[in-house]
């Protein structure tokens, strides 16, 4: 399996039938539209961009209201969460089922009810904030035992209430001593201010005001009619009433949460409807005809044609042609076996292939399996991965992407167990007498050699893919120059190094040198062939040969296959040693040892899997993809909205 073969289509259809056409194509799903607004050639012919229908305004208004309901009711959602939610899974609906359910549902009564209750709750919240602020303003005046209504409307005197900074206390009181018909007192003291009450006769009012102003006095109005302390009690009582009212309103809102599932379905319906309206921007039109272009999978021509025919009551024109491999604008859709499709996320995370390339997924998947297993390399860890993924796949109702992710680790668990058997490792050294083919603690040099050999095979295979691409494109000389000479140089170099380490006949050593020399000379002579000048060709050739240093680094990189496997095994062994140390301390020691084992081994499993995932990906992206894979393809966009709340099948 590989990159799905594509066909590009051109469709002329009447503008009046555009809605029916898009409706049928959204059921079909597998159509990728080309943005014709960027095609200046067609615009020069007098075609104009199709404007988005005004009905999108209504859709957006509905979406705002539906999101409002979803956001406000989410906190009252009583449905299962976490593991239970994953097991239950999302509701699965076909496009037709989605439309049938949504078209018969009126969301407005629930929205209006929720909106009214939320406005009341907000109003109560604002009143509570006002009361809290009022109460805080009254607290400093609780020492004042006079109803506030009795302090207003004096004819022969004026009352001053406010604050003065503490640092002016002595100065203020000294300046107030000459006043004969003025009473003043400090009601309370804050951190920095004095809360001051002063009663002055009308004759001394202006003078008092001047003294206060010179001492940074700030006037404050005390709210309410009763004593400040009584006013605070009144406010607290009202706040209790507000709390009761708000609780009752929230209970009403909570009962509306039973409509959440309906609103989620309606949201998905609106998003798909909006997509149908927005996609019109990709089209051009004459006065009455729409010009539509795009791509479909070649093996779906008949289904696509049927969808078009079903939606068109009048004449139309449809032309479908197989896409050219050299066309970089062809969108990419991958199709692999059940196993290989689990590894597609690694390809897309790096870059989708161009249409003229090969899908690297089935090519790197076997190596990824081997390398991952070698880095984790524990029968116990692999068994846990296997059991966990089997349970998830069997009992959980997973979305397609989630299922691929779980299945990815399902396949990796077998490689992990296989390498665990090779190393004789079950949660480290839990079973020290278990038979093994390789002992990591003593045979680390053998493991290093095995790692380098795997690296050699990995890189040689990548170069072989590069040669295949050259040959497929009829560039046989390129295959010899850019791959054949590198095979010779690398093979000869490796052979020459081995003849130094291992005694062999002089003829083999000479043969290795000759092969290496032929490869290097070939690289120098052909490496800069694209340059025009002789100097440029020579410089390019020597620069290409310099790339042999990167191959040395590549081979060394594969030592991580050994290093990570050893690291995980040694950590697991260290955890077992800790368990043995505490398990001899009676019942408490056994319990404590069990906790250490479960937590420690679980954490080591997490670290081992994470490290293996990252470093195996790195070997794939740098050492493997770097030899033949360019990427840069653009994704085939299915004509349906990416569902948030349901599985749209």
């Amino acid at each position: 399996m590989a990159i799905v073969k594509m066909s590009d289509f051109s469709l002329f259809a009447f503008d009046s039938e555009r809605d029916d056409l898009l409706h049928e194509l959204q059921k079909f799903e597998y159509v990728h539209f080309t943005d014709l607004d960027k095609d200046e050639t067609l615009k020069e012919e007098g075609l104009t961009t199709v404007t988005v229908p005004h009905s999108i305004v209504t859709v957006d208004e509905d979406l705002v209201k539906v999101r409002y309901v979803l956001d406000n009711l989410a906190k009252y959602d009583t449905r299962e969460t976490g593991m239970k939610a994953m097991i239950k899974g999302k509701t699965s609906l076909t496009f037709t089922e989605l439309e049938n359910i949504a078209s018969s549902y009126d969301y407005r009564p629930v929205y209006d009810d929720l909106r009214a209750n939320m406005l009341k709750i907000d109003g109560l919240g604002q009143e509570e904030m006002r009361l809290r602020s009022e109460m805080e303003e009254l607290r400093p005046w609780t020492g004042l035992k006079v109803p506030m209504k009795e302090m207003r409307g004096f004819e022969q005197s004026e009352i001053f209430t406010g604050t003065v900074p503490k640092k002016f206390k002595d100065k203020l009181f000294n300046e107030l001593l000459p006043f004969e018909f003025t009473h003043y007192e400090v009601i309370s003291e804050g951190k920095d201010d004095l809360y001051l009450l002063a009663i002055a006769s009308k004759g001394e009012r202006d003078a008092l005001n001047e003294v206060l102003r010179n001492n940074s006095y700030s006037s404050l109005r005390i709210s309410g009619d009763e004593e400040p302390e009584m006013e605070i009690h009144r406010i607290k009582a009202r706040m209790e009433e507000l709390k009761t009212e708000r609780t009752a309103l929230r209970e009403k809102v909570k009962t509306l949460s039973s409509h959440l599932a309906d609103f989620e379905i309606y949201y998905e319906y609106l998003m798909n409807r909006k997509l149908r309206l927005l996609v019109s921007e990709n089209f051009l039109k004459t006065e009455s005809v729409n010009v539509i272009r795009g791509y479909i999978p070649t093996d779906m021509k008949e289904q696509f044609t049927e969808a078009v025919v079903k939606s068109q009551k009048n004449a139309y024109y449809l032309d479908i042609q197989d896409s050219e491999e050299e066309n970089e604008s062809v969108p990419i859709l991958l199709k692999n076996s059940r196993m290989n499709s689990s590894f597609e996320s690694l390809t897309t995370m790096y870059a989708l292939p161009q249409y003229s390339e090969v899908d690297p997924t089935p090519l790197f998947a076997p190596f990824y399996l081997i390398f991952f297993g070698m880095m984790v390399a524990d029968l116990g860890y692999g068994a846990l991965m296997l059991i966990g993924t089997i349970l998830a796949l069997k009992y959980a109702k997973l979305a397609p992407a989630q299922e691929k992710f779980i299945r990815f680790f399902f396949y990796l668990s077998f490689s992990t167990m296989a390498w665990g058997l090779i190393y004789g490792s079950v949660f480290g050294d839990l079973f020290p007498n278990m038979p093994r083919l390789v002992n990591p603690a003593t045979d680390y040099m053998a493991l290093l050699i095995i790692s380098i050999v795997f690296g050699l095979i990995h890189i040689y295979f990548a170069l072989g893919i590069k040669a295949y691409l050259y040959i497929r494109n009829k560039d046989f000389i390129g295959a010899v120059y850019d791959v054949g000479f590198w095979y010779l140089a690398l093979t000869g170099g490796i052979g020459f190094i081995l003849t130094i380490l291992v005694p062999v006949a002089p003829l083999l050593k000479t043969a290795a040198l000759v092969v290496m020399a032929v490869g290097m000379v070939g690289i120098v002579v052909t490496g800069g062939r694209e340059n025009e000048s002789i100097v440029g060709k020579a410089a390019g050739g020597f620069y290409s040969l310099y790339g042999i240093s990167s191959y040395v680094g590549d081979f060394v990189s594969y030592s991580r296959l050994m290093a990570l496997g050893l690291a995980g095994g040694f950590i697991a062994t260290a955890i077992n040693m800790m368990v043995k140390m505490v398990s001899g301390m009676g019942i408490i020691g056994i319990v404590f040892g069990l906790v250490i084992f479960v937590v420690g081994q679980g954490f080591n499993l997490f670290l081992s899997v994470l490290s293996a995932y990252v470093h195996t990906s790195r070997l794939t992206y740098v050492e493997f993809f770097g030899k033949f894979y360019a990427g840069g393809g653009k994704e085939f966009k299915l004509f349906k909205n990416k569902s948030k709340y349901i599985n749209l099948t």
Side-chain angles (χ1 to χ4, degrees):
M1 307 302 285
I3 300 172
V4 174
K5 293 298 180 183
M6 289 289 162
S7 295
D8 48 89
F9 69 88
S10 295
L11 173 63
F12 296 172
F14 281 102
D15 186 73
S16 59
E17 296 178 345
R18 184 176 67 237
D19 290 344
D20 292 337
L21 171 66
L22 293 177
H23 190 268
E24 289 301 321
L25 292 183
Q26 198 165 42
K27 290 181 183 179
F28 172 66
E29 291 185 11
Y30 284 88
V31 55
H32 178 107
F33 293 106
T34 301
D35 186 3
L36 296 181
D37 187 49
K38 299 176 181 178
D39 194 325
E40 297 300 327
T41 303
L42 289 177
K43 286 188 172 182
E44 290 175 0
E45 297 294 330
L47 277 72
T48 58
T49 304
V50 174
T51 56
V52 177
H54 186 70
S55 56
I56 197 170
V57 175
T58 303
V59 174
D60 281 334
E61 290 174 351
D62 289 340
L63 276 170
V64 169
K65 294 176 181 178
V66 170
R67 287 194 187 104
Y68 176 85
V69 174
L70 291 172
D71 292 341
N72 283 284
L73 293 184
K75 64 185 78 172
Y76 303 105
D77 192 358
T78 57
R79 294 173 296 182
E80 294 88 349
T81 58
M83 188 64 69
K84 288 183 178 180
M86 188 181 76
I87 293 174
K88 185 177 180 180
K90 298 178 181 179
T91 302
S92 295
L93 296 173
T94 64
F95 184 79
T96 302
E97 289 172 337
L98 174 67
E99 292 214 316
N100 289 339
I101 294 173
S103 60
S104 62
Y105 181 69
D106 183 8
Y107 75 90
R108 290 173 183 81
V110 177
Y111 168 78
D112 292 339
D113 196 1
L114 175 66
R115 180 74 173 171
N117 286 319
M118 293 304 297
L119 286 174
K120 291 177 182 178
I121 292 173
D122 291 342
L124 294 177
Q126 291 175 7
E127 183 179 353
E128 183 180 9
M129 289 176 61
R130 180 181 60 78
L131 291 174
R132 286 187 183 278
S133 177
E134 188 177 334
M135 186 168 60
E136 291 303 315
E137 291 175 357
L138 286 169
R139 286 190 189 282
W141 303 99
T142 53
L144 187 59
K145 303 303 181 183
V146 179
M148 298 311 301
K149 61 184 177 182
E150 296 181 6
M151 297 178 62
R152 303 187 186 115
F154 289 174
E155 294 182 1
Q156 301 300 321
S157 60
E158 185 170 340
I159 297 178
F160 295 82
T161 55
T163 61
V164 174
K166 279 185 176 181
K167 60 184 178 180
F168 295 128
K169 180 178 181 179
D170 295 336
K171 176 176 176 293
L172 173 64
F173 287 175
N174 287 332
E175 293 178 2
L176 291 176
L177 288 176
F179 288 80
E180 296 182 16
F181 303 104
T182 297
H183 169 78
Y184 59 89
E185 64 176 294
V186 176
I187 304 301
S188 66
E189 294 187 10
K191 181 180 179 182
D192 301 311
D193 297 315
L194 303 173
Y195 289 85
L196 181 71
L197 168 69
I199 305 175
S201 66
K202 287 191 175 182
E204 293 183 345
R205 178 186 61 189
D206 293 339
L208 176 62
N209 189 49
E210 182 66 20
V211 170
L212 292 174
R213 187 178 63 81
N214 291 334
N215 286 276
S216 299
Y217 169 78
S218 295
S219 178
L220 293 176
R221 182 184 180 280
I222 305 175
S223 61
D225 294 329
E226 304 300 327
E227 298 176 16
E229 189 169 2
M230 294 295 294
E231 288 292 331
I232 289 177
H233 285 308
R234 178 187 63 78
I235 290 173
K236 287 183 177 179
R238 177 54 184 159
M239 290 177 67
E240 285 298 319
E241 293 176 1
L242 294 177
K243 183 178 179 180
T244 302
E245 291 178 28
R246 189 163 51 244
T247 300
L249 287 170
R250 284 176 175 166
E251 284 300 318
K252 289 183 179 179
V253 171
K254 188 176 181 179
T255 60
L256 297 175
S257 64
S258 60
H259 296 274
L260 265 172
D262 296 325
F263 271 82
E264 289 172 351
I265 292 174
Y266 201 76
Y267 171 84
E268 300 293 353
Y269 163 76
L270 289 174
M271 290 300 294
N272 278 285
R273 187 177 169 192
K274 182 178 180 178
L275 178 62
R276 287 203 303 273
L277 296 172
L278 287 176
V279 79
S280 301
E281 292 181 312
N282 293 310
F283 310 156
L284 295 179
K285 68 174 184 176
T286 63
E287 185 175 344
S288 58
V289 175
N290 286 179
V291 178
I292 305 171
R293 288 180 180 172
Y295 297 90
I296 58 170
T298 301
D299 59 359
M300 293 185 173
K301 288 181 183 179
E302 291 185 7
Q303 297 96 309
F304 174 72
T305 303
E306 288 175 5
V308 173
V309 171
K310 187 176 180 180
S311 66
Q312 301 301 295
K313 299 180 181 63
N314 298 301
Y316 68 90
Y317 170 80
L318 175 63
D319 178 59
I320 304 176
Q321 300 289 336
D322 290 346
S323 300
E324 298 178 359
E325 285 194 1
E326 295 75 18
N327 187 354
E328 295 181 357
S329 63
V330 178
I332 303 302
L333 187 65
L334 303 180
K335 185 177 182 180
N336 286 290
S337 66
R338 194 178 191 187
M339 175 180 169
N340 288 331
S341 64
S342 302
F343 292 80
E344 285 178 356
S345 62
L346 294 165
T347 300
T348 56
M349 187 165 55
Y350 181 84
L352 283 169
Q354 296 178 19
Y355 193 59
S356 59
E357 290 187 301
V358 295
D359 177 10
T361 307
L363 303 175
F364 74 75
F367 291 101
Y368 198 100
L369 274 170
I370 295 171
F371 294 167
F372 184 96
M374 190 174 181
M375 290 183 185
V376 181
D378 189 279
L379 182 61
Y381 291 171
L384 288 177
M385 290 170 60
L386 179 63
I387 294 170
T389 52
I390 287 177
L391 291 175
L393 291 170
K394 184 175 182 179
Y395 295 107
K397 191 177 179 182
L398 303 170
Q402 292 174 322
E403 183 179 354
K404 281 187 178 182
F405 181 75
I406 298 297
R407 198 172 295 281
F408 172 68
F409 286 100
F410 168 76
Y411 293 120
L412 293 176
S413 67
F414 291 100
S415 176
T416 301
M417 289 188 293
W419 280 101
L421 288 171
I422 293 172
Y423 285 5
S425 176
V426 183
F427 297 110
D429 63 344
L430 191 62
F431 300 103
N433 296 323
M434 183 176 176
R436 65 193 72 190
L437 296 177
V438 179
N439 188 344
T442 57
D443 300 333
Y444 47 86
M445 282 304 298
L447 287 176
L448 179 60
I449 293 172
I450 292 172
S451 299
I452 301 300
V453 170
F454 276 143
L456 182 66
I457 296 171
H458 201 213
I459 291 174
Y460 271 41
F461 185 68
L463 287 172
I465 298 171
K466 185 176 183 179
Y468 162 76
L469 292 174
Y470 274 120
I471 295 170
R472 190 188 67 175
N473 295 329
K474 308 292 191 229
D475 187 0
F476 303 106
I477 294 178
V480 174
Y481 288 171
D482 292 340
V483 179
F485 285 140
W486 276 107
Y487 271 145
L488 293 176
L490 293 173
T491 304
I494 294 170
F496 179 70
I497 293 172
L498 290 177
T499 60
I500 296 175
L501 299 175
V502 180
V504 295
L507 182 61
L508 290 177
K509 186 174 184 179
T510 302
L513 274 173
V514 171
V515 171
M516 181 177 67
V518 170
M520 288 183 171
V521 170
I523 292 170
V524 171
V525 172
T526 64
R529 63 185 182 276
E530 295 180 355
N531 298 323
E532 295 182 0
S533 66
I534 296 177
V535 175
K537 292 179 184 294
F542 280 107
Y543 182 78
S544 296
L545 181 61
Y546 178 73
I548 202 167
S549 61
S550 67
Y551 279 92
V552 176
D554 290 345
F555 289 133
V556 173
S557 291
Y558 288 91
S559 62
R560 69 189 68 216
L561 296 175
M562 171 204 71
L564 286 174
L566 293 180
F570 289 151
I571 292 174
T573 300
I575 293 169
N576 294 337
M577 291 176 62
M578 294 170 61
V579 172
K580 291 177 182 178
M581 290 172 59
V582 301
S583 60
M585 300 166 58
I587 298 298
I588 296 177
I590 293 174
V591 173
F592 193 48
L594 182 62
V595 172
I596 292 175
F597 181 82
V598 173
V599 175
Q601 295 289 0
F603 186 65
N604 189 42
L605 170 60
F606 170 75
L607 287 181
S608 297
V609 170
L610 179 62
S611 298
Y613 177 83
V614 171
H615 287 282
T616 308
S617 298
R618 192 246 180 226
L619 290 174
T620 301
Y621 293 157
V622 179
E623 278 71 27
F624 191 68
F625 280 3
K627 303 300 178 293
F628 71 94
Y629 188 56
K634 64 179 182 180
E635 181 185 7
F636 184 97
K637 295 181 180 179
L638 293 175
F639 187 32
K640 71 174 181 179
N641 184 63
K642 290 185 178 179
S643 301
K644 182 178 181 181
Y645 298 108
I646 65 171
N647 291 327
L648 191 57
T649 59

